[in-house]
Amino acid sequence: MAVAKKTSKLDKDELYQWEGADRNGKKIKGEIRGRSVNIVKAELRRQGISANKVRKKPKDLFASLNKQKIKAKDIAIFSRQLATMMSSGVPLVQALDIVAKGNENVSMQSLINAVRLDIEGGSTLSGALKKHPLYFDDLFCNLVEAGEQGGILESLLQKIASYKEKTESIKGKIKKALTYPAAIVIVAFIITAVLLIKVVPQFEAMFQSFGGDLPAFTQMVVNMSEFFQENWVFIFAGIIGTVVGFIQAYKRSRPFKQGFDKAMLSIPIIGVILHKASIARFARTLSTMFAAGVPLVDAMEAVAGATGNVVYSNAVMKIREEVSTGQQLQFSMKQAGVFPHMVIQMVAIGEESGSLDSMLSKVADFYEEEVDNAVDSLSSLIEPLIMVILGILVGGLIIAMYLPIFKMSSMM
């Protein structure tokens, strides 16, 4: 059975089912993407197919559950695979076809095929990528465009792949540093809630049969248990509402986001990691764009968005304004007040020697290693801390429950 497929502009095109006959009169059917029935029929005629039935394919109710999301890691892998293919001499269209067929993520396959079909239609690679800004940001597209214009697309694809891999690596380390403490708090809260709601009431019923006054510590735990039993729905709803409200405020309110990012930089240990991560992203992004021949002023806007923190983003935009007036990068960075002396000196050496991209790459390597070591140290510090926190919570509740029993034993 022949199947005609046309995939373009994932967010706008619909999938249609068709039935018809080919040039030899043989009955065939298949699926095709298009914006409307008329456009689909025109495309089928171009392929030599006489369609007698075209209808929109019914949507699968479970499609959204089965559909795989396209993650930043998928884009990084795509960049490396495409760079490897092209550096081996494989033509661009054929390379995209091979990468698409070898990808297990169906959504990623559709995205790559959409890019391939746009290129087959006469578009440049950068032009095809710009149609999907959700997956390919300005930095990615600008570097690809610079490679196409300079005739060094294979080389720049390698740089993009290395950049994506390193930035995703450092993002993963930051997530690890932030999610580990959060996970501890969540686990500790759940364990405490379960003990207060399910376990303590069993002891409370037994205490009531003893008569007499309970020890102060035990009475406090019993009161907490009663409060949790009566209000656990409101407590959990309040926590969920607070988390959702915080996320929405962080996404929608720039002053809130700026205040939170600034506060995070002030937290002991975590703040140091975030500082180093932002500097590493700044240096890696600027090094990659400068090496690609992107003018410094034009590169700074993309660099600001890549730092991952509003404080550094604002500082980079201020640096951009000063550099655009003719001031040297090193002086602008010094006035920003967020970059260490060592980074400024490395930039100064790079500007004076004409090897700014190389110096920035070394800065990025240094701070990426610093982030890696800091996250490992934090993990080593938190592991015993977990045992202490859980031991205090669980042990404290157990002691509170057995204090009345010890008291009765001493009285007897």
Side-chain angles (χ1 to χ4, degrees):
M1 179 180 69
V3 178
K5 293 184 179 179
K6 178 72 176 176
T7 308
S8 64
K9 295 187 180 179
L10 297 174
D11 299 329
K12 296 181 179 180
D13 290 359
E14 298 285 349
L15 190 61
Y16 289 84
Q17 294 176 326
W18 57 268
E19 294 180 10
D22 61 12
R23 291 186 177 93
N24 298 322
K26 182 180 177 182
K27 291 184 177 181
I28 55 176
K29 62 181 180 179
E31 296 178 355
I32 183 173
R33 284 191 176 274
R35 293 188 181 183
S36 67
V37 173
N38 292 333
I39 292 176
V40 168
K41 287 182 177 180
E43 175 61 25
L44 290 172
R45 283 197 299 271
R46 191 184 68 81
Q47 297 180 21
I49 298 171
S50 177
N52 52 42
K53 185 184 294 185
V54 177
R55 64 185 180 90
K56 191 180 294 186
K57 183 177 180 181
K59 291 185 178 180
D60 184 359
L61 295 176
F62 301 98
S64 59
L65 298 176
N66 298 327
K67 188 177 180 180
Q68 292 174 285
K69 291 184 178 179
I70 298 176
K71 301 178 181 178
K73 184 179 179 181
D74 296 321
I75 301 299
I77 294 172
F78 162 74
S79 305
R80 175 60 68 191
Q81 290 175 329
L82 185 60
T84 303
M85 289 282 181
M86 293 199 65
S87 61
S88 301
V90 180
L92 177 57
V93 173
Q94 186 179 351
L96 288 167
D97 185 53
I98 294 170
V99 173
K101 288 179 179 177
N103 203 303
E104 296 180 356
N105 188 329
V106 177
S107 299
M108 193 66 195
Q109 285 182 8
S110 299
L111 176 63
I112 298 171
N113 283 326
V115 173
R116 176 179 60 82
L117 286 168
D118 280 336
I119 293 172
E120 286 179 342
S123 174
T124 60
L125 177 58
S126 59
L129 296 177
K130 285 178 181 178
K131 293 181 180 180
H132 310 284
L134 186 62
Y135 310 112
F136 302 103
D137 55 20
D138 290 339
L139 171 62
F140 196 111
C141 296
N142 290 340
L143 289 175
V144 169
E145 188 174 10
E148 288 175 323
Q149 292 175 354
I152 52 171
L153 182 58
E154 295 86 353
S155 174
L156 271 186
L157 282 172
Q158 292 284 2
K159 289 183 182 295
I160 293 170
S162 298
Y163 167 77
K164 282 288 182 183
E165 289 165 355
K166 289 179 178 179
T167 51
E168 286 308 307
S169 174
I170 200 168
K171 282 181 184 178
K173 292 167 186 173
I174 294 301
K175 287 180 181 178
K176 181 182 177 181
L178 295 177
T179 55
Y180 205 17
I184 297 169
V185 173
I186 293 171
V187 170
F189 177 79
I190 292 174
I191 291 175
T192 305
V194 170
L195 290 173
L196 289 173
I197 295 171
K198 296 293 183 181
V199 179
V200 174
Q202 304 299 323
F203 282 88
E204 184 182 0
M206 182 177 64
F207 295 156
Q208 288 175 352
S209 64
F210 291 166
D213 296 331
L214 294 174
F217 185 43
T218 304
Q219 187 61 55
M220 181 187 72
V221 172
V222 169
N223 292 339
M224 288 176 59
S225 174
E226 292 175 349
F227 179 79
F228 261 81
Q229 291 176 66
E230 295 173 359
N231 302 284
W232 68 270
V233 174
F234 301 104
I235 292 171
F236 281 97
I239 292 172
I240 294 171
T242 301
V243 172
V244 172
F246 174 85
I247 293 172
Q248 292 300 316
Y250 187 80
K251 288 181 177 179
R252 299 174 185 274
S253 174
R254 184 171 180 81
F256 182 87
K257 179 180 174 68
Q258 188 166 352
F260 177 77
D261 283 359
K262 188 175 181 180
M264 289 293 291
L265 293 175
S266 303
I267 298 175
I269 303 177
I270 295 292
V272 174
I273 295 175
L274 294 177
H275 270 293
K276 292 177 178 179
S278 293
I279 294 170
R281 289 174 179 176
F282 165 83
R284 179 67 63 196
T285 308
L286 187 57
S287 170
T288 303
M289 297 198 75
F290 199 75
V294 179
L296 184 59
V297 176
D298 295 339
M300 295 304 284
E301 189 169 354
V303 173
T307 56
N309 189 285
V310 173
V311 175
Y312 277 88
S313 178
N314 291 340
V316 172
M317 291 306 293
K318 185 178 178 182
I319 291 170
R320 179 179 181 272
E321 292 177 5
E322 294 176 355
V323 169
S324 64
T325 62
Q327 189 169 354
Q328 283 189 300
L329 178 61
Q330 56 177 302
F331 295 122
S332 300
M333 289 176 63
K334 188 175 182 180
Q335 291 175 3
V338 295
F339 295 97
H341 180 71
M342 185 270 282
V343 177
I344 296 171
Q345 288 302 308
M346 292 285 282
V347 169
I349 294 170
E351 284 187 305
E352 292 170 3
S353 62
S355 57
L356 182 59
D357 57 330
S358 175
M359 286 298 175
L360 285 169
S361 180
K362 290 177 181 178
V363 170
D365 290 337
F366 173 78
Y367 276 97
E368 285 167 358
E369 186 175 354
E370 286 283 295
V371 170
D372 197 6
N373 294 335
V375 171
D376 289 339
S377 299
L378 180 63
S379 301
S380 302
L381 178 66
I382 285 178
E383 285 171 3
L385 192 61
I386 295 174
M387 303 301 295
V388 172
I389 293 173
L390 295 180
I392 291 173
L393 286 172
V394 178
L397 289 173
I398 291 174
I399 291 172
M401 294 302 98
Y402 279 93
L403 274 178
I405 299 174
F406 296 152
K407 183 179 180 181
M408 286 186 61
S409 300
S410 63
M411 290 174 64
M412 293 175 63

